[in-house]
Amino acid sequence: MSDKVLLEVKDLKKDFGDHQVLKGISTQISQGEVVAIIGPSGCGKSTFLRSLNLLEVPTGGSVVFEGKEITAPGTDVDKIRQKIGMVFQQFNLFNNLSIQDNITLAPVKLGLMGKEEAEKKARELLERVGLPSKANAYPAMLSGGQKQRIAIARSLAMNPDVMLFDEPTSALDPEMVGEVLELMKELAADGMTMVVVTHEMGFAREVATRVLFIDEGVIREENTPQEFFDHPKNQRLQEFLSKVL
Amino acid sequence: MQDFINEFTVNFIDDHRYRYITEGFVNTLIISFFAVLVGVAIGFLVAIIRSNHEKTGHMKIANFICQVYLTVMRGTPTMLQLLIIYYVVFMSVNVPKVFVAVVAFGLNSGAYVAEIVRSGIMSVDEGQSEAGRSLGLNYRQTMQYIVIPQAFKNVLPALGNEFIVLLKETSISGYIGLTDLTHGGDIIRGITFSAFMPLIAVALIYLLMVTGLSWCVNKLERRLRVNER
């Protein structure tokens, strides 16, 4: 882990009408960090994650990615998103495209790779996520766990500098959770910077370098996994952990 | 049997009267084909503008124009639109009647296609376009490669239905003195004073055309669904 700050979030706020979901969140994410975000449902953790690549447009505060304020008006958001991978709870594979095309679409259409280069990369990535035989399959033919591994491969095809995971295992059958978490562990071990909203406390404890507890739109506690789980200081966190552990 | 042959001869063979039918058939085909193209082009454009406006709040003026267009086209009878376009809009310019019919039916169909396609765009899960955008694809690319292909597949049955309606609706072209299939049959009826043979013949031809069209749409639908197991 280096000290190079990739993402800097300052006083991030988000309202949906009268409902304030994020009430001012500030944190920094450095290169190589694996940050797990946990919290009760509806606490704003997904909204926070989605604000990092502007899928949700914040109503206040700023997000700086690699020195560039992406929340500033006039920023080329599409360009920045190329470097911020995202993995969704519902996988969101492109249903109309084969697995290979799912992976190659963005690099090819954005002119980052030629078709052949992208296809070669897709084969490598499919190998890496353990699904080399699925290149010509379609999303509807895959299990949830397979879909999520493909979604990760699709994201990796863009060579992102950071990857955001929005509850990547919450929509999976229990027996498929393991294969996805295993892959994420490998990514972390390879040095990928990751921000993971999750309910998998085991993963947070084992893989994360830092854990955030978000509740009612603010970060209540932020610590190393050991301290976070073994000596939680915030009372809401203590209550939360006593329910989920 | 002899009666039948006589009737047939009088209605179709004498004076080459079958030509009213063939000419009408060709005109109906031309009008339907190009009106479908016009309708689909307008429909997709309007649908994209409207759904973009719904999602982002942009394109206010374009959306307003689309709203007015939809209201007028869906709120007035097709026949009246045809008459107005022929006698009012193109009053002082000399253009072929077939062209007038293509414009009228294309504009009319576009309004229905627009709403069909818009429902298709809305039927595609928001996560699909979020995934596209999260990879760095822009709005246009996301629509073009991800959302529209899925929307199109979802609405193909409804679109096929609209094409059938359009094909049959061209039968009012006679009101601007255009010899379409229906009008052609009716001309024969007017000459021979026998209604059964020409009108039933025309009906059968429509039936065949619609059957063929449905078959094509079904085939396309099946082909697009192969990747859904």
Side-chain angles (χ1 to χ4, degrees), chain B residues 5-77:
Chain B
I5 293 172
N6 284 343
E7 275 281 290
F8 189 87
T9 314
V10 168
N11 280 300
F12 301 124
I13 310 293
D14 290 353
D15 292 336
H16 300 297
R17 286 186 188 124
Y18 68 89
R19 283 185 182 162
Y20 290 113
I21 303 267
T22 52
E23 186 198 342
F25 174 71
V26 170
N27 279 338
T28 292
L29 272 190
I30 292 174
I31 296 167
S32 303
F33 179 76
F34 287 103
V36 161
L37 291 189
V38 172
V40 165
I42 295 176
F44 270 82
L45 187 71
V46 170
I48 289 169
I49 291 172
R50 296 244 300 144
S51 54
N52 184 16
H53 174 78
E54 263 163 45
K55 215 163 102 181
T56 63
H58 297 153
M59 308 177 90
K60 275 205 178 68
I61 296 166
N63 182 61
F64 178 75
I65 294 169
C66 292
Q67 292 267 30
V68 172
Y69 163 74
L70 291 177
T71 308
V72 171
M73 285 298 155
R74 297 195 301 169
T76 54

Coordinates of all heavy atoms in Angstrom, one line a residue, chain B residues 5-77:
Chain B
I5 N -66.9 -18.4 -63.4 CA -65.9 -18.0 -64.4 C -66.3 -16.7 -65.1 O -65.5 -15.9 -65.4 CB -65.7 -19.2 -65.4 CG1 -65.1 -20.4 -64.7 CG2 -64.9 -18.8 -66.6 CD1 -65.1 -21.7 -65.5
N6 N -67.6 -16.6 -65.4 CA -68.1 -15.4 -66.0 C -67.8 -14.2 -65.2 O -67.3 -13.2 -65.6 CB -69.6 -15.5 -66.3 CG -69.9 -16.4 -67.4 OD1 -69.0 -16.7 -68.3 ND2 -71.1 -16.9 -67.5
E7 N -68.2 -14.3 -63.9 CA -67.9 -13.2 -63.0 C -66.4 -12.8 -62.9 O -66.1 -11.6 -63.0 CB -68.3 -13.7 -61.5 CG -69.8 -13.5 -61.2 CD -70.1 -12.0 -60.9 OE1 -69.6 -11.6 -59.8 OE2 -70.7 -11.3 -61.7
F8 N -65.6 -13.8 -62.9 CA -64.2 -13.6 -62.8 C -63.7 -12.9 -64.1 O -63.0 -11.9 -64.0 CB -63.4 -15.0 -62.7 CG -62.0 -14.9 -62.4 CD1 -61.5 -14.7 -61.1 CD2 -61.0 -14.8 -63.5 CE1 -60.2 -14.6 -60.9 CE2 -59.7 -14.7 -63.2 CZ -59.2 -14.6 -61.9
T9 N -64.2 -13.3 -65.2 CA -63.8 -12.7 -66.5 C -64.2 -11.3 -66.5 O -63.4 -10.4 -66.9 CB -64.4 -13.5 -67.7 OG1 -64.3 -14.9 -67.4 CG2 -63.7 -13.1 -69.0
V10 N -65.4 -11.0 -66.2 CA -66.0 -9.7 -66.2 C -65.1 -8.7 -65.3 O -64.8 -7.6 -65.7 CB -67.4 -9.6 -65.8 CG1 -67.9 -8.2 -65.6 CG2 -68.3 -10.3 -66.9
N11 N -64.8 -9.2 -64.1 CA -64.2 -8.4 -63.1 C -62.7 -8.2 -63.3 O -62.2 -7.1 -63.0 CB -64.5 -8.9 -61.7 CG -65.9 -8.5 -61.2 OD1 -66.2 -7.4 -61.1 ND2 -66.7 -9.5 -61.0
F12 N -62.1 -9.2 -63.8 CA -60.6 -9.1 -63.8 C -60.0 -9.2 -65.2 O -59.0 -8.5 -65.5 CB -60.0 -10.2 -63.0 CG -60.4 -10.2 -61.5 CD1 -61.0 -11.3 -60.9 CD2 -60.3 -9.0 -60.8 CE1 -61.4 -11.2 -59.6 CE2 -60.7 -9.0 -59.5 CZ -61.3 -10.1 -58.9
I13 N -60.6 -9.9 -66.1 CA -60.0 -10.1 -67.4 C -60.4 -9.1 -68.4 O -59.5 -8.5 -69.1 CB -60.3 -11.6 -68.0 CG1 -60.0 -12.6 -66.9 CG2 -59.5 -11.8 -69.2 CD1 -58.6 -12.8 -66.5
D14 N -61.7 -8.9 -68.6 CA -62.1 -7.9 -69.6 C -61.5 -6.5 -69.3 O -61.3 -6.0 -68.2 CB -63.7 -7.7 -69.4 CG -64.4 -9.0 -69.9 OD1 -63.7 -9.9 -70.4 OD2 -65.6 -9.0 -69.7
D15 N -61.1 -5.9 -70.4 CA -60.4 -4.6 -70.4 C -59.2 -4.6 -69.4 O -58.8 -3.5 -68.9 CB -61.4 -3.5 -69.9 CG -62.5 -3.3 -71.0 OD1 -62.2 -3.6 -72.2 OD2 -63.5 -2.8 -70.6
H16 N -58.6 -5.8 -69.2 CA -57.5 -5.8 -68.3 C -57.8 -5.2 -66.9 O -57.0 -4.5 -66.4 CB -56.2 -5.1 -68.9 CG -55.8 -5.8 -70.2 ND1 -55.4 -7.1 -70.3 CD2 -55.7 -5.2 -71.4 CE1 -55.1 -7.3 -71.5 NE2 -55.3 -6.2 -72.3
R17 N -59.0 -5.5 -66.4 CA -59.3 -4.8 -65.1 C -58.5 -5.3 -63.9 O -58.4 -4.6 -62.9 CB -60.8 -5.1 -64.8 CG -61.7 -4.3 -65.8 CD -63.2 -4.4 -65.5 NE -63.9 -3.7 -66.5 CZ -64.8 -4.3 -67.3 NH1 -65.2 -5.5 -67.1 NH2 -65.3 -3.6 -68.3
Y18 N -57.8 -6.4 -64.1 CA -56.9 -6.8 -63.0 C -55.9 -5.8 -62.7 O -55.3 -5.7 -61.7 CB -56.3 -8.2 -63.4 CG -55.3 -8.1 -64.5 CD1 -53.9 -7.8 -64.2 CD2 -55.7 -8.3 -65.8 CE1 -53.0 -7.7 -65.3 CE2 -54.8 -8.2 -66.8 CZ -53.5 -7.9 -66.6 OH -52.6 -7.8 -67.6
R19 N -55.7 -4.9 -63.7 CA -54.6 -3.9 -63.5 C -54.9 -2.9 -62.4 O -54.0 -2.4 -61.8 CB -54.4 -3.1 -64.8 CG -53.6 -3.9 -65.8 CD -53.3 -3.1 -67.0 NE -52.5 -3.9 -68.0 CZ -52.4 -3.6 -69.3 NH1 -53.0 -2.5 -69.7 NH2 -51.7 -4.3 -70.1
Y20 N -56.2 -2.7 -62.2 CA -56.6 -1.9 -61.0 C -56.1 -2.5 -59.7 O -55.6 -1.8 -58.8 CB -58.1 -1.7 -60.9 CG -58.7 -0.8 -62.0 CD1 -59.5 -1.4 -63.0 CD2 -58.4 0.5 -62.1 CE1 -60.0 -0.6 -64.0 CE2 -58.9 1.3 -63.1 CZ -59.7 0.7 -64.1 OH -60.2 1.5 -65.1
I21 N -56.2 -3.8 -59.7 CA -55.8 -4.5 -58.5 C -54.2 -4.5 -58.4 O -53.7 -4.2 -57.3 CB -56.2 -6.0 -58.5 CG1 -57.8 -6.1 -58.7 CG2 -55.7 -6.8 -57.3 CD1 -58.5 -6.2 -57.4
T22 N -53.6 -4.8 -59.5 CA -52.1 -4.9 -59.4 C -51.5 -3.5 -59.1 O -50.6 -3.3 -58.3 CB -51.5 -5.4 -60.7 OG1 -52.0 -4.7 -61.8 CG2 -51.8 -6.9 -60.9
E23 N -52.1 -2.5 -59.8 CA -51.6 -1.1 -59.6 C -51.8 -0.7 -58.1 O -50.9 -0.2 -57.4 CB -52.3 -0.1 -60.5 CG -51.7 1.3 -60.4 CD -52.7 2.4 -60.9 OE1 -53.6 2.0 -61.7 OE2 -52.5 3.5 -60.6
G24 N -53.0 -1.1 -57.6 CA -53.3 -0.8 -56.2 C -52.4 -1.5 -55.3 O -52.0 -1.0 -54.3
F25 N -52.2 -2.8 -55.6 CA -51.3 -3.6 -54.7 C -49.9 -3.0 -54.6 O -49.4 -2.8 -53.5 CB -51.3 -5.0 -55.3 CG -50.3 -5.9 -54.6 CD1 -50.6 -6.4 -53.4 CD2 -49.1 -6.3 -55.2 CE1 -49.7 -7.2 -52.7 CE2 -48.2 -7.1 -54.6 CZ -48.5 -7.6 -53.3
V26 N -49.4 -2.6 -55.8 CA -48.1 -2.0 -55.8 C -48.1 -0.7 -55.0 O -47.2 -0.5 -54.1 CB -47.6 -1.7 -57.2 CG1 -46.3 -0.9 -57.2 CG2 -47.3 -3.0 -58.0
N27 N -49.1 0.1 -55.2 CA -49.1 1.4 -54.4 C -49.3 1.1 -52.9 O -48.6 1.8 -52.1 CB -50.3 2.2 -54.9 CG -50.0 3.0 -56.2 OD1 -48.8 3.2 -56.5 ND2 -51.0 3.4 -56.9
T28 N -50.1 0.2 -52.6 CA -50.3 -0.1 -51.1 C -48.9 -0.6 -50.5 O -48.6 -0.2 -49.4 CB -51.3 -1.2 -51.0 OG1 -52.6 -0.7 -51.3 CG2 -51.4 -1.7 -49.5
L29 N -48.2 -1.4 -51.3 CA -46.9 -1.9 -50.8 C -45.9 -0.7 -50.7 O -45.3 -0.6 -49.6 CB -46.3 -2.9 -51.8 CG -46.7 -4.4 -51.7 CD1 -45.8 -5.2 -52.6 CD2 -46.5 -4.8 -50.2
I30 N -45.9 0.1 -51.7 CA -44.9 1.3 -51.6 C -45.3 2.2 -50.4 O -44.4 2.5 -49.6 CB -45.0 2.1 -52.9 CG1 -44.4 1.2 -54.1 CG2 -44.2 3.4 -52.8 CD1 -44.5 1.9 -55.4
I31 N -46.6 2.5 -50.3 CA -47.0 3.4 -49.3 C -46.6 2.8 -47.9 O -46.0 3.4 -47.0 CB -48.5 3.8 -49.4 CG1 -48.8 4.5 -50.7 CG2 -48.9 4.6 -48.2 CD1 -50.2 4.6 -51.0
S32 N -47.0 1.5 -47.7 CA -46.8 0.9 -46.4 C -45.3 0.8 -46.1 O -44.9 1.2 -45.0 CB -47.4 -0.5 -46.4 OG -48.7 -0.5 -46.8
F33 N -44.5 0.4 -47.1 CA -43.1 0.2 -46.8 C -42.4 1.5 -46.4 O -41.8 1.6 -45.4 CB -42.4 -0.4 -48.1 CG -41.0 -0.6 -47.9 CD1 -40.5 -1.7 -47.2 CD2 -40.1 0.3 -48.4 CE1 -39.1 -1.9 -47.1 CE2 -38.7 0.1 -48.3 CZ -38.2 -1.0 -47.6
F34 N -42.7 2.6 -47.2 CA -42.0 3.8 -46.8 C -42.6 4.5 -45.6 O -41.9 5.1 -44.8 CB -41.9 4.7 -48.1 CG -41.0 4.3 -49.1 CD1 -41.4 3.6 -50.3 CD2 -39.6 4.4 -48.9 CE1 -40.5 3.2 -51.2 CE2 -38.7 4.0 -49.9 CZ -39.2 3.3 -51.0
A35 N -43.9 4.3 -45.4 CA -44.5 4.9 -44.2 C -44.0 4.2 -43.0 O -43.7 4.9 -42.0 CB -46.0 4.8 -44.3
V36 N -43.7 2.9 -43.1 CA -43.1 2.2 -41.9 C -41.7 2.8 -41.6 O -41.4 3.1 -40.5 CB -43.0 0.7 -42.2 CG1 -42.0 0.0 -41.2 CG2 -44.4 0.0 -42.0
L37 N -40.9 3.0 -42.7 CA -39.6 3.5 -42.5 C -39.7 4.9 -41.8 O -39.0 5.2 -40.9 CB -38.8 3.6 -43.8 CG -38.4 2.3 -44.5 CD1 -37.5 2.6 -45.7 CD2 -37.7 1.4 -43.5
V38 N -40.5 5.8 -42.4 CA -40.7 7.1 -41.8 C -41.2 7.0 -40.4 O -40.6 7.7 -39.5 CB -41.7 7.9 -42.7 CG1 -42.0 9.3 -42.0 CG2 -41.2 8.2 -44.1
G39 N -42.2 6.1 -40.2 CA -42.7 6.0 -38.8 C -41.7 5.5 -37.8 O -41.6 6.0 -36.7
V40 N -40.9 4.5 -38.2 CA -39.9 4.0 -37.3 C -38.8 5.1 -37.0 O -38.4 5.3 -35.9 CB -39.2 2.7 -37.9 CG1 -38.0 2.4 -37.2 CG2 -40.2 1.6 -37.9
A41 N -38.4 5.8 -38.1 CA -37.4 6.8 -37.8 C -37.9 7.9 -36.9 O -37.3 8.2 -35.9 CB -37.0 7.5 -39.2
I42 N -39.1 8.4 -37.2 CA -39.7 9.4 -36.3 C -39.9 8.8 -34.9 O -39.6 9.5 -33.9 CB -41.0 9.9 -36.8 CG1 -40.8 10.7 -38.2 CG2 -41.7 10.8 -35.8 CD1 -42.1 11.1 -38.8
G43 N -40.5 7.6 -34.9 CA -40.8 7.0 -33.6 C -39.6 6.8 -32.7 O -39.7 7.2 -31.5
F44 N -38.5 6.3 -33.2 CA -37.3 6.2 -32.4 C -36.8 7.5 -31.9 O -36.4 7.7 -30.7 CB -36.2 5.4 -33.2 CG -36.3 3.9 -33.0 CD1 -37.2 3.2 -33.7 CD2 -35.5 3.3 -32.0 CE1 -37.3 1.8 -33.6 CE2 -35.6 1.9 -31.8 CZ -36.5 1.2 -32.6
L45 N -36.8 8.5 -32.8 CA -36.3 9.8 -32.5 C -37.1 10.4 -31.3 O -36.6 10.8 -30.3 CB -36.3 10.7 -33.7 CG -35.7 12.1 -33.5 CD1 -34.2 12.0 -33.5 CD2 -36.1 13.0 -34.7
V46 N -38.4 10.4 -31.5 CA -39.3 10.9 -30.5 C -39.2 10.2 -29.1 O -39.1 10.8 -28.1 CB -40.8 10.9 -30.9 CG1 -41.7 11.3 -29.8 CG2 -41.0 11.9 -32.1
A47 N -39.1 8.9 -29.2 CA -39.0 8.0 -28.0 C -37.7 8.4 -27.3 O -37.7 8.4 -26.0 CB -39.0 6.6 -28.4
I48 N -36.6 8.5 -28.0 CA -35.3 8.8 -27.4 C -35.4 10.2 -26.7 O -34.9 10.4 -25.6 CB -34.2 8.7 -28.4 CG1 -34.0 7.2 -28.7 CG2 -32.9 9.2 -27.8 CD1 -33.1 6.9 -29.9
I49 N -35.9 11.1 -27.4 CA -36.0 12.5 -26.8 C -36.8 12.5 -25.6 O -36.5 13.0 -24.5 CB -36.6 13.5 -27.9 CG1 -35.6 13.7 -29.0 CG2 -37.0 14.8 -27.2 CD1 -36.2 14.5 -30.2
R50 N -38.0 11.8 -25.7 CA -38.9 11.8 -24.5 C -38.3 11.0 -23.3 O -38.4 11.5 -22.2 CB -40.2 11.1 -24.9 CG -41.0 11.9 -26.0 CD -42.3 12.5 -25.5 NE -43.2 11.5 -25.1 CZ -44.0 11.6 -24.1 NH1 -44.0 12.7 -23.4 NH2 -44.8 10.6 -23.7
S51 N -37.7 9.9 -23.6 CA -37.2 9.2 -22.4 C -35.9 9.9 -21.9 O -35.7 9.8 -20.7 CB -36.9 7.7 -22.8 OG -36.0 7.6 -23.9
N52 N -35.2 10.5 -22.7 CA -34.0 11.3 -22.2 C -34.5 12.4 -21.3 O -34.0 12.7 -20.3 CB -33.2 11.9 -23.4 CG -32.0 12.6 -22.9 OD1 -31.6 12.5 -21.8 ND2 -31.4 13.4 -23.8
H53 N -35.6 13.1 -21.8 CA -36.2 14.2 -21.0 C -36.7 13.7 -19.7 O -36.4 14.3 -18.6 CB -37.3 14.9 -21.8 CG -38.0 15.9 -21.0 ND1 -37.5 17.1 -20.7 CD2 -39.2 15.8 -20.3 CE1 -38.3 17.8 -20.0 NE2 -39.4 17.1 -19.7
E54 N -37.4 12.5 -19.7 CA -37.9 12.0 -18.5 C -36.8 11.7 -17.5 O -37.0 11.8 -16.3 CB -38.7 10.7 -18.8 CG -40.2 10.9 -18.9 CD -40.8 9.7 -19.6 OE1 -40.5 8.6 -19.2 OE2 -41.7 10.0 -20.4
K55 N -35.7 11.2 -18.0 CA -34.6 10.8 -17.1 C -33.8 11.9 -16.6 O -33.4 12.0 -15.4 CB -33.7 9.8 -17.8 CG -33.2 8.7 -16.9 CD -32.7 7.5 -17.7 CE -31.2 7.5 -17.7 NZ -30.7 6.3 -18.5
T56 N -33.5 12.9 -17.5 CA -32.5 13.9 -17.1 C -33.1 15.3 -17.0 O -32.5 16.2 -16.4 CB -31.4 14.0 -18.2 OG1 -32.0 14.4 -19.4 CG2 -30.7 12.7 -18.4
G57 N -34.3 15.5 -17.5 CA -34.9 16.8 -17.5 C -34.3 17.7 -18.6 O -34.7 18.9 -18.7
H58 N -33.4 17.2 -19.4 CA -32.9 18.0 -20.5 C -33.9 18.1 -21.7 O -34.9 17.4 -21.7 CB -31.6 17.4 -21.0 CG -30.5 17.5 -20.0 ND1 -29.4 16.6 -20.0 CD2 -30.3 18.3 -18.9 CE1 -28.7 16.8 -18.9 NE2 -29.2 17.9 -18.3
M59 N -33.5 18.8 -22.7 CA -34.3 18.8 -24.0 C -35.7 19.2 -23.8 O -36.7 18.6 -24.3 CB -34.2 17.5 -24.7 CG -32.8 17.0 -24.9 SD -32.7 15.3 -25.6 CE -32.6 15.8 -27.3
K60 N -36.0 20.3 -23.0 CA -37.3 20.7 -22.7 C -38.1 21.0 -23.9 O -39.3 20.6 -24.1 CB -37.3 21.9 -21.8 CG -37.2 21.5 -20.3 CD -37.7 22.7 -19.4 CE -37.7 22.3 -17.9 NZ -36.3 22.2 -17.4
I61 N -37.5 21.8 -24.8 CA -38.2 22.3 -26.0 C -38.5 21.2 -27.0 O -39.7 21.0 -27.4 CB -37.4 23.4 -26.7 CG1 -37.3 24.6 -25.8 CG2 -38.1 23.8 -28.0 CD1 -36.2 25.6 -26.2
A62 N -37.5 20.3 -27.2 CA -37.7 19.2 -28.1 C -38.8 18.3 -27.5 O -39.7 17.8 -28.3 CB -36.4 18.4 -28.3
N63 N -38.8 18.1 -26.2 CA -39.8 17.2 -25.6 C -41.2 17.9 -25.8 O -42.2 17.2 -26.1 CB -39.5 17.1 -24.1 CG -40.5 16.1 -23.4 OD1 -40.6 15.0 -23.8 ND2 -41.2 16.7 -22.5
F64 N -41.3 19.2 -25.7 CA -42.6 19.8 -25.8 C -43.1 19.6 -27.2 O -44.3 19.3 -27.4 CB -42.4 21.3 -25.5 CG -43.7 22.1 -25.7 CD1 -44.7 22.0 -24.8 CD2 -43.9 22.9 -26.8 CE1 -45.9 22.7 -24.9 CE2 -45.1 23.6 -27.0 CZ -46.1 23.5 -26.0
I65 N -42.2 19.8 -28.2 CA -42.6 19.6 -29.6 C -43.1 18.2 -29.8 O -44.2 17.9 -30.4 CB -41.4 19.9 -30.6 CG1 -41.1 21.4 -30.5 CG2 -41.8 19.5 -32.0 CD1 -39.8 21.8 -31.2
C66 N -42.4 17.2 -29.2 CA -42.8 15.8 -29.3 C -44.2 15.6 -28.7 O -45.0 14.9 -29.3 CB -41.8 14.9 -28.6 SG -40.2 14.8 -29.5
Q67 N -44.4 16.2 -27.6 CA -45.7 16.1 -26.9 C -46.8 16.6 -27.8 O -47.9 15.9 -27.9 CB -45.7 17.0 -25.6 CG -44.8 16.4 -24.5 CD -45.6 15.5 -23.6 OE1 -46.5 14.8 -24.0 NE2 -45.1 15.5 -22.3
V68 N -46.6 17.8 -28.4 CA -47.6 18.4 -29.3 C -47.9 17.4 -30.4 O -49.0 17.1 -30.8 CB -47.2 19.7 -29.8 CG1 -48.2 20.3 -30.9 CG2 -47.1 20.7 -28.6
Y69 N -46.8 16.9 -31.0 CA -46.9 16.0 -32.1 C -47.7 14.8 -31.8 O -48.7 14.4 -32.5 CB -45.5 15.6 -32.6 CG -45.4 14.4 -33.4 CD1 -45.8 14.4 -34.8 CD2 -44.9 13.2 -32.9 CE1 -45.7 13.3 -35.6 CE2 -44.8 12.1 -33.7 CZ -45.2 12.1 -35.0 OH -45.1 11.0 -35.8
L70 N -47.4 14.2 -30.6 CA -48.1 13.0 -30.2 C -49.6 13.3 -30.0 O -50.5 12.5 -30.4 CB -47.5 12.4 -28.9 CG -46.1 11.8 -29.0 CD1 -45.6 11.4 -27.6 CD2 -46.1 10.6 -30.0
T71 N -49.9 14.4 -29.3 CA -51.2 14.7 -29.0 C -52.1 14.9 -30.3 O -53.2 14.4 -30.4 CB -51.3 16.0 -28.2 OG1 -50.4 15.9 -27.1 CG2 -52.7 16.3 -27.7
V72 N -51.5 15.6 -31.3 CA -52.2 15.9 -32.5 C -52.4 14.6 -33.3 O -53.5 14.3 -33.8 CB -51.5 17.0 -33.3 CG1 -52.1 17.1 -34.7 CG2 -51.5 18.3 -32.6
M73 N -51.3 13.8 -33.4 CA -51.4 12.7 -34.3 C -52.3 11.6 -33.7 O -53.0 10.9 -34.4 CB -50.0 12.1 -34.5 CG -49.1 12.9 -35.4 SD -49.9 12.9 -37.1 CE -49.2 14.4 -37.7
R74 N -52.3 11.5 -32.4 CA -53.1 10.4 -31.8 C -54.5 10.9 -31.5 O -55.4 10.2 -31.2 CB -52.5 9.9 -30.5 CG -51.1 9.2 -30.8 CD -50.6 8.4 -29.7 NE -50.4 9.2 -28.5 CZ -50.2 8.7 -27.3 NH1 -50.2 7.4 -27.2 NH2 -50.1 9.4 -26.3
G75 N -54.7 12.3 -31.6 CA -56.0 12.8 -31.2 C -56.9 13.2 -32.3 O -58.0 13.6 -32.1
T76 N -56.4 13.0 -33.6 CA -57.3 13.2 -34.7 C -57.3 12.0 -35.6 O -56.4 11.2 -35.6 CB -56.8 14.5 -35.5 OG1 -55.4 14.2 -35.9 CG2 -56.9 15.7 -34.7
P77 N -58.4 11.9 -36.4 CA -58.5 10.7 -37.2 C -57.5 10.7 -38.3 O -57.2 11.7 -38.9 CB -59.9 10.8 -37.8 CG -60.7 11.8 -37.0 CD -59.6 12.7 -36.4

